[in-house]
Amino acid sequence: MQVAKKNDPLTFWENRENYMKTGFKFGVAVSGLVTMTAFGAWAQDLPKTMVWTSYDVGSAGYAEASAIADAFGKEFGTRVRIQPSGSGIGRLQPLLQGRADYAFLATEAFFVAEGAFDFATRDWGPRELRAVAGRPAGITLIAAGDAGIENVEDARGKRIAFVAGNPSVNVKCEAILAFGGLTLDDVEVVTFPTYGSAMASMTRNESDATCTTPTTSQLYELAESPRGIHYAPLEADNAAGWEGLLKVLPIMSPSDEDVAAGLEEGEIAKMAAYRYPVITTTAEKSADDVYAFIKSLDESYELYKNGTATMSRWTLEKSGKPAIDVPFHEGAIRYLKEKGIWTKEDDAWNEKRIARMDALLAAWEEFLPQNEALSDEEFSQAWMARRAELVSGLN
């Protein structure tokens, strides 16, 4: 059991220097606007200004977007405005409405591409997105050290923090609970309005556990607090556990994580692997623009690779490979091929993923007019059933 305790809890924003020692190193993008004046040569075709969306301030996704934006400013003079949001819908709407160039997403990229869960509504449905790159990440049930949750099954009857309008957190947590043979009926779901408030809720003793990436800043606060922190293990050899998890969310796999808040040097936490954050854009985005972006991401790597404890995983050999939530953008693939990273097997994966997305989009266009008379709840249930049927046939 990995438990870290100290007598005096620290707040992240008041003690950023301490957190820098654990890997969180922020540039000047504290308020979401990165402006640099000292820079080298401009990257060809990289815009002078860009807008990105990300998770809340204090999240790993915001920290990493900020570090990359800082590097873009220093290296290319590009000004990046980061729009943080605690909900997947809040991160997606600016992108889909053309008000943001890129979005640093979590699993909502997969959900919106499938029209699943919170996106199984008349106003949403499947949307066509493309990935630029995505860092490998780990996730498990993360508990306060004094909550009595040694393993996932111990979460029965405990308070589990969910985030309103955020299936990326909530469905992964539901899947992880299934690893321990639990459903949402077996726990007390406590829903918070934002990601940041949910992640900080354990430190405030408003919840006992949640599911997120283990380097989110609020978890460092939890590890430093009197409650401490513990990672419920997702052992790779627990076949029944993984069968239950993958029935809920079939995009994860076993992972050994060695970078996590409160984890002692040399320790390993058994988690599930996914991609977070995933740099995502629209399919209509110019291939030249995306090529320039991923090229700049690659060329400025040395400037941001130490921005957080896990940012070294943004090397394109790791972040530019399938599997990922949505198909890769053709502009990204062009650069990855030039670098010798993209393979024929990757092409095959991408073509299969595009075919799945195209099938869902076609099914949605057929489904909408046929189900106009249904109530909102009936509509969502009917689409999720149609989607499951379609996906089963594709596999």
Side-chain angles (χ1 to χ4, degrees):
M1 180 173 180
Q2 302 94 22
V3 178
K5 295 185 179 180
K6 290 191 178 181
N7 292 329
D8 298 319
L10 301 175
T11 60
F12 180 74
W13 291 105
E14 293 176 353
N15 298 276
R16 279 179 289 162
E17 292 184 1
N18 289 344
Y19 284 102
M20 287 172 67
K21 296 176 183 178
T22 65
F24 277 80
K25 300 180 180 179
F26 279 78
V28 299
V30 172
S31 298
L33 182 63
V34 179
T35 307
M36 292 292 170
T37 56
F39 53 87
W42 286 86
Q44 186 177 1
D45 298 327
L46 191 68
K48 293 182 180 180
T49 61
M50 282 188 282
V51 177
W52 304 345
T53 68
S54 79
Y55 259 82
D56 282 348
V57 173
S59 68
Y62 182 85
E64 296 183 26
S66 297
I68 293 170
D70 189 358
F72 274 29
K74 288 178 177 176
E75 188 71 11
F76 311 117
T78 296
R79 299 171 65 247
V80 179
R81 180 173 180 79
I82 300 173
Q83 295 181 200
S85 175
S87 75
I89 289 173
R91 291 184 291 278
L92 281 161
Q93 279 182 329
L95 179 69
L96 294 171
Q97 293 171 356
R99 294 184 286 109
D101 301 285
Y102 299 93
F104 283 63
L105 301 178
T107 314
E108 69 266 17
F110 174 79
F111 295 146
V112 75
E114 302 270 310
F117 302 105
D118 284 6
F119 303 103
T121 68
R122 288 181 173 87
D123 293 336
W124 282 95
R127 302 293 182 96
E128 195 168 14
L129 295 178
R130 293 292 186 268
V132 180
R135 172 179 68 76
I139 190 169
T140 188
L141 185 71
I142 301 172
D146 61 1
I149 302 175
E150 180 73 18
N151 300 299
V152 176
E153 52 265 35
D154 298 328
R156 186 181 299 274
K158 303 293 185 179
R159 300 168 298 170
I160 311 299
F162 275 44
V163 185
N166 192 329
S168 179
V169 169
N170 302 343
V171 178
K172 285 202 286 290
C173 217
E174 184 178 351
I176 290 168
L177 288 171
F179 183 93
L182 304 178
T183 70
L184 298 186
D185 292 335
D186 297 314
V187 300
E188 180 185 348
V189 174
V190 184
T191 302
F192 293 86
T194 68
Y195 175 82
S197 62
M199 296 307 107
S201 64
M202 290 180 289
T203 302
R204 299 192 303 264
N205 199 16
E206 296 172 353
S207 71
D208 299 309
T210 193
C211 306
T212 190
T213 184
T215 54
T216 295
S217 63
Q218 292 89 350
L219 298 184
Y220 286 88
E221 295 180 12
L222 177 64
E224 296 283 345
S225 79
R227 297 199 77 188
I229 194 168
H230 174 65
Y231 299 99
L234 304 178
E235 302 94 340
D237 60 357
N238 186 336
W242 277 101
E243 181 180 359
L245 186 154
L246 293 174
K247 282 183 179 178
V248 179
L249 190 61
I251 62 170
M252 296 193 284
S253 58
S255 172
D256 289 341
E257 186 60 64
D258 61 354
V259 179
L263 199 65
E264 297 294 332
E265 183 77 23
E267 284 190 313
I268 295 292
K270 300 290 184 179
M271 298 191 184
Y274 71 112
R275 298 298 183 99
Y276 172 71
V278 179
I279 303 176
T280 312
T281 192
T282 60
E284 295 77 22
K285 188 76 170 174
S286 160
D288 290 341
D289 287 348
V290 176
Y291 176 93
F293 182 97
I294 194 171
K295 184 173 187 291
S296 300
L297 186 72
D298 184 33
E299 291 180 348
S300 60
Y301 174 77
E302 291 297 323
L303 292 178
Y304 65 76
K305 69 177 183 180
N306 296 318
T308 75
T310 53
M311 286 202 75
S312 61
R313 299 176 188 178
W314 277 107
T315 175
L316 293 183
E317 285 77 9
K318 293 182 179 179
S319 67
K321 299 286 286 183
I324 201 167
D325 299 60
V326 294
F328 276 85
H329 195 285
E330 60 177 316
I333 293 172
R334 186 205 307 171
Y335 185 75
L336 291 166
K337 284 183 175 179
E338 287 181 8
K339 295 286 290 185
I341 295 169
W342 194 263
T343 66
K344 290 182 179 179
E345 290 76 16
D346 297 333
D347 262 333
W349 179 91
N350 214 58
E351 289 170 6
K352 184 177 180 181
R353 189 67 184 85
I354 290 173
R356 173 176 170 138
M357 183 175 290
D358 288 345
L360 285 165
L361 290 166
W364 177 256
E365 290 302 314
E366 180 182 315
F367 178 87
L368 272 174
Q370 294 176 352
N371 294 275
E372 290 179 349
L374 297 180
S375 69
D376 289 345
E377 183 176 354
E378 289 171 337
F379 182 93
S380 295
Q381 291 176 350
W383 166 248
M384 287 293 283
R386 175 70 184 102
R387 170 186 166 271
E389 178 186 17
L390 178 63
V391 169
S392 176
L394 289 173
N395 292 337

